[in-house]
Every structure is written in structure tokens, then in C-alpha cells.
Amino acid sequence: LTAGGFITLTAEDEIGEHATFADKELELAAGSSVDASSTTVGAIRLDGLGDLTLTDVDTGNGIITVTAAGLLTATDVESLTDDDSNDITLTGTGIAATLINAGTAGDVTLNAGTGEISQDTITDYDDVTADVLTADAATGIDLDTTITSADLTVSGVGNIILDEKDAVTLTEVDTNNGLITVTTGGAIVATKVVSGGTTQNISLSSASGKVTGTEVKASGAMSITASSGEVELVDIDTVDGSITVSATG
């Protein structure tokens, strides 16, 4: 579809989902902004041919899959029925996240290609709401979240900054050459957290709850803080730096 920049799509069920076509995504011109709504049960599948802004994209009950050849700006993307099958997948050359909501049961997958995953700079914990967040970027990840677990990777030079509202499990969080900073309102389970590069620090800080570090390895210094809980560490290591542990529980 080509329009003067803004496109509005409304359907009772699917948008861009066709049972007989191999290419299921609805293609949108570069530079488009889209307002798309599936009002009952149905998926939304969109393909931007350049930069794409998701101004207001929501499904009543279904998945959302969007790919952009350029920067993907997710201003408001929501799957409105909280169900494990209602996942959101966004892919672009850089992703700017303001509000991506898959509920407490759905998962969110973000792939920023050669770019970064950035946020709106407001600490409102709704850049991503999901059960499992999987995010991959080349030059950095910076998000405020309300999630259960995170699998985050930065493959080039860039940092991971995660500000989580409640407790979180860091299933696998790693940088190729960048620091890792995780701040939470609840407990932290660091299953695997690794900062690559040279002198790249790791900071894990919980405002309330225990911090458990199964495998935490930093190329720089490491700081682990449980402001209202215990710290339990199994396998931690720094290549070039100190280890600071603080617990008040």
C-alpha cells in the first residue's frame, strides 16, 4: 500500500494474513505510519519497505508480526487478549520502542538487525510488557520493562540497560563489547550474564528481593546489590576488575 504517509486499516479478523498466499505480510511503502486494528480474532502481519511507524497497532485476539527494511518505531503495539499464543514479533534496522504490550502471558521478540533497540526515555516500565522478552541488536539495548524473563544479546559494540518494574529472570544476557546494567523492583535470577570486550562492567541491582547469580562473568568490574534481600552467587568472575556485593536482607 502507498499513501501520503498515514495508513489506517481496520478488519474484523486478519490483516495481511492470507491462507493461500506464501507471502502473508501486507506491504507498506517506505516512510509510512500505520494505524491497524483487528477487532475480534485474527493476526496482523505487516511488511514496511523502509522506515515504518506503528502509531496504533492492536489485535483483539491474535499475533502481531511486523518487519521493516528501515527503522521500526513502535509507538503503540498491543495484543489485547492476554494469552500465551498472542505473541508480538518486530524486526527492523533499529527499533524505537514506546509501548509494546503482549500482556503477562504473551511473548515479545525484537530484532534490530544492525541497529539498536531504544526507548522513549520515560521510566514507565511499559516499553515492553510480556512474559518472555527476546531481543537482539548490534549497537545496544535500552528498555524499561514489565516482563518475567529476558534473553538479550548485543552482537557489536553497545550496552544493555534494563530497568524492570518487578522481578526478572535473566535467562541469557550478553554483550560482545559493552556493559550490562539491570535494575529491578523485585528479585533477580541471573542464569547467565556475560559482558564481552575489555573492562565492560556488570551491575545487577534489586530494590526488593534476592539476587541469585548462577553464571555472571564481566570483562570489567562487577557490582551486585540486593537492597532488601540476600545475594547468592554460584559462578562469578571478572577478567579485569573488582567484585562488589551488597545485601541488606
Side-chain angles (χ1 to χ4, degrees):
L1 291 178
T2 302
F6 192 80
I7 299 170
T8 300
L9 304 168
T10 304
E12 184 177 346
D13 43 31
E14 288 84 5
I15 296 176
E17 174 83 8
H18 199 290
T20 59
F21 294 162
D23 186 1
K24 296 180 181 295
E25 292 80 14
L26 184 64
E27 292 187 347
L28 305 174
S32 295
S33 296
V34 62
D35 181 330
S37 180
S38 170
T39 59
T40 57
V41 179
I44 293 179
R45 297 180 184 269
L46 305 174
D47 185 4
L49 301 181
D51 293 349
L52 179 64
T53 298
L54 306 178
T55 305
D56 188 0
V57 174
D58 57 83
T59 56
N61 189 356
I63 66 169
I64 298 173
T65 302
V66 181
T67 301
L71 174 65
L72 182 59
T73 301
T75 305
D76 188 342
V77 182
E78 297 188 75
S79 183
L80 300 176
T81 297
D82 194 2
D83 187 86
D84 184 49
S85 63
N86 289 339
D87 299 337
I88 297 174
T89 302
L90 306 180
T91 303
T93 305
I95 297 173
T98 299
L99 190 153
I100 303 167
N101 185 1
T104 60
D107 301 333
V108 169
T109 300
L110 306 177
N111 189 333
T114 57
E116 67 174 345
I117 299 173
S118 62
Q119 55 147 308
D120 57 6
T121 72
I122 301 171
T123 306
D124 46 17
Y125 305 108
D126 66 357
D127 296 337
V128 176
T129 300
D131 179 19
V132 178
L133 168 62
T134 303
D136 294 278
T139 58
I141 297 172
D142 184 358
L143 292 170
D144 300 329
T145 62
T146 301
I147 59 176
T148 303
S149 66
D151 185 333
L152 314 176
T153 298
V154 172
S155 58
V157 178
N159 305 323
I160 292 177
I161 301 173
L162 186 71
D163 194 355
E164 163 59 29
K165 181 180 180 181
D166 300 310
V168 71
T169 296
L170 306 176
T171 306
E172 185 166 357
V173 174
D174 58 270
T175 59
N176 177 63
N177 187 2
L179 62 80
I180 297 172
T181 301
V182 178
T183 305
T184 70
I188 299 174
V189 177
T191 306
K192 184 176 182 180
V193 179
V194 179
S195 66
T198 304
T199 64
Q200 299 293 352
N201 301 341
I202 292 177
S203 174
L204 307 179
S205 180
S206 166
S208 177
K210 183 178 181 178
V211 177
T212 304
T214 302
E215 181 182 348
V216 184
K217 297 185 178 182
S219 63
M222 185 185 304
S223 174
I224 299 176
T225 303
S227 296
S228 180
E230 302 175 314
V231 173
E232 180 181 346
L233 304 174
V234 178
D235 182 8
I236 63 170
D237 186 30
T238 61
V239 176
D240 182 19
S242 62
I243 298 175
T244 302
V245 178
S246 175
T248 57

